[in-house]
């Protein structure tokens, strides 16, 4: 199960993510300001994905926020909801409009990809056991 931090400042979209995307654990309520993302990650950095809306408010600049997220945990994948590609080099996925299907595909495709070796091992192990018996 992937651990996901959501900072989009949109209650309806947050609830849609909770209801419609499988294989995730949402680790907090919707964070509504940039500094809140960093505060959360400083306490719990074992997050797989951050879904971040460019429109959330904050004193910290967007570029600095994105860099700090990666400094806290370079393995975190950032799904950035933005009309612009300005920060594309700092994020893993840039989505121009909110789309549950895209987010679901990103998270679950990576889940499958990351676990492909484990699945192959289990398949081979199961096949070997059947052959031996």
């Amino acid at each position: 199960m992937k651990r996901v931090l959501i900072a989009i400042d949109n209650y309806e979209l947050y609830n849609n993510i909770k209801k419609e995307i499988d294989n995730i654990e949402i680790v907090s309520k919707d964070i509504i300001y940039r500094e809140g993302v960093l505060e959360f990650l400083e306490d719990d950095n074992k997050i797989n994905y951050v879904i971040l809306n460019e429109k959330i408010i904050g004193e910290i600049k967007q570029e600095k926020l994105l860099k700090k997220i990666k400094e806290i945990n370079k393995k975190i994948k950032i799904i950035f909801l933005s009309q612009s590609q300005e920060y594309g080099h700092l994020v893993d996925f840039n989505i121009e409009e909110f789309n549950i299907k895209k987010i679901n595909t990103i998270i679950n495709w990576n889940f499958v990809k990351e676990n492909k070796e484990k699945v192959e091992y289990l398949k081979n192990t199961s096949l070997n056991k059947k052959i031996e018996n």
Side-chain angles (χ1 to χ4, degrees):
M1 183 151 318
K2 296 296 181 178
R3 299 186 78 227
V4 179
L5 180 64
I6 300 174
I8 55 177
D9 191 20
N10 186 313
Y11 182 76
E12 183 180 337
L13 298 177
Y14 172 83
N15 280 328
N16 286 340
I17 291 171
K18 277 176 73 169
K19 289 177 193 169
E20 297 191 32
I21 298 182
D22 296 329
N23 299 321
I24 66 170
E25 173 192 351
I26 297 175
V27 296
S28 77
K29 294 183 178 182
D30 186 12
I31 296 175
I32 61 172
Y33 62 101
R34 293 176 189 165
E35 291 80 5
V37 173
L38 297 178
E39 290 168 8
F40 186 91
L41 291 174
E42 287 169 1
D43 288 337
D44 181 358
N45 69 359
K46 295 192 183 338
I47 304 298
N48 302 102
Y49 290 88
V50 173
I51 301 173
L52 182 64
N53 185 346
E54 73 174 337
K55 295 179 180 175
I56 64 170
I57 60 172
E59 297 292 319
I60 188 172
K61 300 277 186 204
Q62 197 76 263
E63 183 173 358
K64 187 172 182 179
L65 171 64
L66 296 169
K67 287 179 179 179
K68 290 284 279 177
I69 291 171
K70 290 294 188 170
E71 285 175 18
I72 292 171
N73 179 346
K74 65 182 177 182
K75 292 182 179 182
I76 291 176
K77 304 260 190 272
I78 301 171
I79 301 172
F80 194 57
L81 308 175
S82 173
Q83 295 292 318
S84 165
Q85 294 293 322
E86 180 179 356
Y87 302 108
H89 64 288
L90 296 172
V91 300
D92 299 285
F93 305 96
N94 197 97
I95 299 176
E96 291 182 10
E97 60 186 62
F98 187 84
N99 183 316
I100 290 278
K101 286 183 181 181
K102 280 186 182 179
I103 293 172
N104 190 19
T105 300
I106 289 167
I107 291 172
N108 285 307
W109 172 251
N110 277 312
F111 179 80
V112 169
K113 192 169 97 175
E114 290 168 3
N115 288 294
K116 190 175 184 178
E117 289 178 10
K118 292 177 188 173
V119 170
E120 287 302 316
Y121 172 78
L122 291 173
K123 282 183 185 176
N124 290 334
T125 303
S126 297
L127 288 174
N128 289 338
K129 285 183 180 179
K130 287 180 185 175
I131 292 169
E132 290 172 3
N133 292 330

